[in-house]
Amino acid sequence: MTLSPRALLSLLVNGSKAVDVVTTALDTGLLDALEPGPVSLGELAGRFGMQPPRLYKFLDCLESLGFVVRDESSDDITETTYRAVPGLREAAVAAVGPDSIERDRDTYPWRRLHGRLTETLRGELSLSDDDFSWPPRTAAQTESFERSMTAGLGPVLDTVDRHADRLWPGRRRFLDVGGGAGTLAAHVLGSAPHLRADVYNLPAVAPLVARTRAGCGHPDRLGFVGGDFFAEPLPTGYDVLGFVRVLHDWPAAVARRLVEKAYAALPPGGMLLICEEFRTPDRLAVQFFWSYFLIGADSAVSRLREVEFYTALLADTGFIGIEVLPGAWELVVAHKPG
Ligand SMILES: C[S@@+](CC[C@H](N)C(=O)[O-])C[C@H]1O[C@@H](n2cnc3c(N)ncnc32)[C@H](O)[C@@H]1O
């Protein structure tokens, strides 16, 4: 559904009410009934103890958001049938549920810029280092940033699970470069019994990886290598390297340097994985918070790029066998010639 600018703005101005509608639909169980649909208004009203004329208007709210499809074949509203668009319940849990990334993002001090974007755009107002610094400066910032990252890892975990049979057989050591608190590295060990995974990250992140290690099912196979990928070559001895949501943080020339470092560190036949917030309309929308908040922070580039940027960069660097594996977020795999 593509709305006109006027209609979209009307929804945005009423955004908190729209979230109230979705939250109510989720909490009451209406979404569970609507998703398998079609289900009639009369049936919904009976099942949930709601009044049909009121529920009709409530469902109009959901329809205006593009979340339900209505079939109204008679003037008796109780016969009107509805069905939710596929995936609505899961999306509602992700966006308004207790572990939603939006809730987590809302804890950042975005209000410093709110209503003051003109000054911010002119460079007269910026986030301070206490508000946000990139990379994080203090232990508290590191912890809160990596928690946000972990909260958004779901699509990446789904995609590596989906392709586990392609990725890990025959591989022995995986280095997750800029691997956050180690959630992904710990996760892949579950489907790769012969793999050892290390997280390469700034030394300040070590305690967070130690915590992940203590709580994971394979602590003996999860390690940490402290370092700064700008100050030194990437460690050797790994037959798989990964950059997950790392390269978009940097300008193109820096991303290129990091991919070149990965090429240099891999053995012949070694594999590089790249998973990113590739630029699509959906991901740009989900990234809205960071696009807004980081207007006030010049250190964080936050540059969503099309997947083709990465496939071309890999080819230029000398990688072969470059493939884009499908998934919630696509995974780019590439190999150093053997
Ligand atoms: C956007 S986060 C992504 C974290 C994780 N890969 C994920 O997707 O959840 C970028 C990561 O790069 C790490 N990082 C930033 N600068 C770094 C540097 N100079 N050397 C090593 N790691 C760095 C950060 O600490 C952080 O863990």
Side-chain angles (χ1 to χ4, degrees), residues 30-329:
L30 275 166
L31 291 188
D32 296 303
L34 283 164
E35 192 149 336
V39 57
S40 73
L41 181 77
E43 206 179 322
L44 288 173
R47 200 182 321 168
F48 294 98
M50 295 172 177
Q51 301 188 7
R54 295 186 178 195
L55 185 56
Y56 183 87
K57 290 173 241 174
F58 181 89
L59 288 163
D60 268 2
C61 292
L62 280 177
E63 186 181 341
S64 70
L65 294 162
F67 292 160
V68 296
V69 178
R70 179 182 48 94
D71 184 0
E72 189 164 328
S73 46
S74 89
D75 199 40
D76 176 357
I77 57 168
T78 62
E79 287 179 4
T80 307
T81 60
Y82 296 86
R83 138 182 98 64
V85 297
L88 178 61
R89 191 184 177 285
E90 194 186 334
V93 171
V96 301
D99 300 325
S100 111
I101 53 173
E102 281 76 10
R103 276 183 209 280
D104 175 80
R105 291 168 178 184
D106 207 44
T107 62
Y108 286 80
W110 56 270
R111 288 175 184 79
R112 302 253 199 277
L113 311 176
H114 194 239
R116 302 182 66 189
L117 281 185
T118 309
E119 290 160 80
T120 313
L121 287 167
R122 291 186 175 143
E124 294 155 12
L125 175 72
S126 302
L127 294 168
S128 73
D129 278 354
D130 289 338
D131 295 330
F132 183 83
S133 66
W134 180 248
R137 223 173 21 101
T138 63
Q141 282 179 348
T142 300
E143 167 131 23
S144 119
F145 180 75
E146 296 298 3
R147 190 193 57 234
S148 299
M149 288 295 104
T150 299
L153 255 181
V156 183
L157 302 182
D158 286 350
T159 306
V160 292
D161 282 351
R162 176 167 167 186
H163 298 288
D165 291 350
R166 277 283 304 275
L167 300 175
W168 311 120
R171 302 288 174 189
R172 288 181 314 102
R173 299 193 68 196
F174 167 47
L175 185 69
D176 190 9
V177 182
T183 309
L184 172 68
H187 183 87
V188 302
L189 294 175
S191 47
H194 304 297
L195 194 72
R196 188 188 151 81
D198 288 343
V199 173
Y200 179 87
N201 211 329
L202 297 166
V205 188
L208 304 183
V209 178
R211 202 188 303 161
T212 303
R213 186 169 180 270
C216 85
H218 311 280
D220 49 318
R221 292 191 284 128
L222 180 66
F224 178 76
V225 180
D228 175 344
F229 49 48
F230 295 129
E232 58 196 14
L234 288 175
T236 55
Y238 297 89
D239 50 0
V240 189
L241 296 184
F243 288 119
V244 174
R245 296 190 295 179
V246 168
L247 301 175
H248 79 278
D249 285 332
W250 307 102
V254 178
R256 177 174 298 271
R257 222 163 64 228
L258 290 174
V259 169
E260 286 166 358
K261 284 192 177 197
Y263 188 89
L266 281 168
M271 180 167 72
L272 178 62
L273 310 177
I274 296 178
C275 197
E276 268 298 340
E277 317 240 25
F278 299 125
R279 194 181 194 95
T280 64
D282 254 34
R283 278 174 236 173
L284 200 56
V286 175
Q287 185 77 351
F288 184 91
F289 172 81
W290 290 116
S291 299
Y292 177 91
F293 181 61
L294 295 177
I295 293 171
D298 297 324
S299 53
V301 170
S302 186
R303 184 117 182 245
L304 266 59
R305 302 178 172 104
E306 282 81 6
V307 68
E308 292 77 17
F309 169 88
Y310 294 98
T311 51
L313 174 56
L314 288 162
D316 284 354
T317 311
F319 283 96
I320 57 170
I322 301 163
E323 268 186 88
V324 180
L325 305 181
W329 287 7

